[in-house]
């Protein structure tokens, strides 16, 4: 169910009218629903419990890059979530939010020495290694620290995720992962290194996947690798299938999390029983968008209406620096009026105040608008705030989380002084 709905003509987050939030915290603001977050996390965790083996429970590692607010991370940590990180900064956020480092996996093609040291110091669960050069770097640092590095190789399974080319990662031509034909050789090399402990295997093929077929195809290829590795004497403890499930921004019909997880376990359980001698293997998921995407919106106010001979522009106070997805991926986000109105609708482009033609949030939307109206840009909980910038010296917006009747400020609006606090004049 949606936790953002109209009550007596007023769009609400759970039980709180968004207009009240705008009055109290100003606009623009990101607004999240706690219930939506919990529900989306439970869709993974509960289905895993239902279909996964008791002996090796799954681990749901929330992809921190999709939303790294401490309150969001803390809420998920309290449910038992692990975390998928891509930088030392994300690790520090997880720790500050009370996350368990033993449930952290570290992805990314360019881990720095500092990041690696920090992760080893905190004893994270696993590094997802993406190249041979990284493997050797890890081995060297782990050796100096006297602490072996637990690893998986991120496999590039060469399956087409059929999503936007910028967020497709599992094709041969993408920069991610170890090319499929080289994977066994990499494991053999890893086994020779004194400071590396081989733990699992990993892949992530892309994001905003509406169908689970590419994920299940990737799973087949991964299972095949686990078997082959097993014949060579490797006893992997986990198989990380990555994240990537999509959400409905418009009228797409993404596969339900529960159906995907169930189908995944049908394959895994069948293989374990019939080919893998019933040995346990932990399944790890790295979802981001499917947990937080539809649990958040961007609340904005119409500043000016600017009808022109060719187009009607509604200039709002949120911009591409606050929500970059439309400018970067041509992404479509639903725009809803905060107050339902029976007034005549016109077709509007919803644009921000930033000095770029690419600064738009929505094109050609039928809306009844007046200056000062509030609008909600929906499905903005994932890759919204985390991709925000200060372009045009615009302070990043406030974030609030609604819990039933209550509203919590979870990130104060930045002040302009914050933006130049680290700068200094020449002597
Ligand atoms: N694991 C790895 C290694 C990843 O690279 C990603 C996302 C995830 C997990 C989480 O994927 P999700 O479940 O959220 O699809 N900024 C883009 C999305 C970039 C995704 C990058 N990797 C957007 O706004 O659509």
């Amino acid at each position: 169910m949606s936790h953002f709905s109209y009550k007596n003509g007023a769009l609400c987050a759970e039980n709180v009218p968004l207009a009240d939030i705008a009055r109290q915290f100003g606009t623009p603001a990101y607004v999240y629903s706690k219930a939506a977050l919990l529900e989306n996390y439970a869709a993974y965790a509960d289905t895993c419990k239902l279909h996964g083996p008791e002996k090796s429970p799954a681990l749901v590692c929330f992809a921190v890059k999709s939303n790294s607010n401490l309150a969001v991370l803390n809420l998920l940590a309290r449910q038992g979530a692990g975390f998928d990180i891509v930088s030392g900064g994300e690790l520090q956020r997880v720790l500050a939010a009370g996350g368990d480092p033993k449930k952290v996996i570290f992805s990314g093609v360019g881990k720095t020495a500092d990041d690696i040291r920090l992760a080893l110091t905190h004893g994270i669960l696993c590094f997802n290694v993406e190249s041979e050069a990284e493997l050797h770097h890890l081995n060297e640092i782990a050796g100096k620290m006297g602490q072996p590095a637990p690893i998986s190789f991120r496999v590039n399974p060469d399956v087409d995720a059929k999503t936007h080319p910028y967020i497709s990662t599992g094709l041969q031509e993408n920069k991610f992962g170890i090319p499929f034909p080289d994977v066994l050789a990499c494991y053999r090399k890893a086994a020779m290194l004194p400071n590396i402990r081989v733990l699992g295997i990993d892949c992530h093929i892309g994001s905003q996947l509406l169908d689970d077929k590419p994920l299940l195809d990737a799973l087949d290829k991964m299972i095949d690798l686990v078997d082959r590795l097993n014949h060579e004497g490797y006893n992997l403890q986990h198989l990380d299938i990555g994240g990537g499930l999509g959400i409905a921004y418009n009228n797409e019909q993404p596969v339900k999390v529960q159906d995907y997880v169930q189908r995944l376990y049908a394959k895994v359980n069948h293989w374990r029983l019939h080919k893998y001698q019933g040995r346990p293997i932990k399944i790890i998921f790295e979802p981001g968008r499917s947990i937080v995407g539809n649990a958040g919106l961007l609340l904005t106010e119409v500043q000016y209406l600017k009808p022109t001979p060719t187009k009607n522009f509604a200039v709002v106070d949120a911009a591409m620096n606050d929500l970059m997805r439309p400018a970067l991926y041509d992404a479509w986000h639903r725009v809803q009026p905060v107050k339902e109105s029976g007034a005549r609708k016109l077709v509007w482009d919803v644009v921000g105040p930033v000095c770029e033609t690419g600064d738009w949030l929505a094109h050609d939307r039928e809306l009844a608008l007046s200056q000062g109206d509030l609008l909600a840009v929906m499905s903005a909980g994932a890759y919204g705030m985390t991709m925000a910038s200060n372009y045009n010296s615009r302070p990043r917006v406030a974030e609030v989380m609604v819990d039933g009747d209550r509203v919590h400020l979870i990130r104060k609006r930045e002040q302009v002084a914050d933006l130049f606090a680290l700068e200094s004049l020449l002597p």
Side-chain angles (χ1 to χ4, degrees), residues 63 65 84 167 204 207 244 286-289 325 329 383 387:
K65 65 169 81 70
D84 167 50
I167 52 178
H204 169 79
S207 197
E286 303 173 358
R289 192 189 317 262
R325 303 193 67 259
Y329 313 113
Y383 308 108
M387 291 174 73

Side-chain angles (χ1 to χ4, degrees), residues 2 59 71 74 82 102 140 184 217 234 312 342 362 373 419:
S2 173
L59 183 61
N74 172 261
K102 295 195 175 49
E140 195 188 307
L184 293 179
D217 288 349
Y234 297 88
N312 296 321
D373 279 358
L419 307 193

Side-chain angles (χ1 to χ4, degrees), residues 58-218:
L59 183 61
V60 181
C61 289
F62 177 65
V64 174
K65 65 169 81 70
S66 64
N67 190 313
S68 57
N69 184 288
L70 294 191
V72 171
L73 302 183
N74 172 261
L75 188 65
L76 295 171
R78 281 192 269 155
Q79 311 310 305
F83 296 95
D84 167 50
I85 60 163
V86 289
S87 69
E90 287 191 350
L91 176 55
Q92 295 193 51
R93 279 186 172 274
V94 168
L95 298 171
D100 180 355
K102 295 195 175 49
K103 292 183 181 173
V104 166
I105 46 177
F106 195 166
S107 305
V109 292
K111 302 173 190 80
T112 66
D114 281 348
D115 289 349
I116 291 171
R117 274 191 289 268
L118 185 74
L120 281 171
T121 303
H122 288 282
I124 66 161
L125 175 61
C126 193
F127 292 86
N128 289 339
V129 174
E130 303 225 14
S131 63
E132 252 189 83
E134 183 191 334
L135 178 70
H136 290 291
H137 195 203
L138 255 177
N139 179 55
E140 195 188 307
I141 296 175
K144 281 191 191 139
M145 291 177 64
Q147 195 175 334
I151 69 137
S152 286
F153 281 105
R154 173 166 175 185
V155 175
N156 183 328
D158 195 22
V159 299
D160 187 355
K162 297 196 169 57
T163 181
H164 190 289
Y166 284 15
I167 52 178
S168 186
T169 51
L171 277 174
Q172 233 172 47
E173 63 257 36
N174 300 137
K175 71 176 174 184
F176 299 97
I178 307 286
F180 198 78
D182 303 345
V183 172
L184 293 179
C186 279
Y187 275 93
R188 288 177 202 132
K189 281 178 192 151
M192 311 290 285
L193 296 175
N195 309 305
I196 295 291
R197 196 155 54 85
V198 172
L199 202 67
I201 192 160
D202 161 63
C203 73
H204 169 79
I205 61 170
S207 197
Q208 184 55 10
L209 276 69
L210 297 172
D211 185 4
D212 58 356
K213 176 146 191 322
L215 286 161
L216 297 173
D217 288 349

Side-chain angles (χ1 to χ4, degrees), residues 306-322:
K306 182 174 172 182
T308 75
T310 44
K311 275 212 170 245
N312 296 321
F313 294 102
V315 185
V316 297
D317 60 1
M320 66 187 284
N321 71 295
D322 304 309

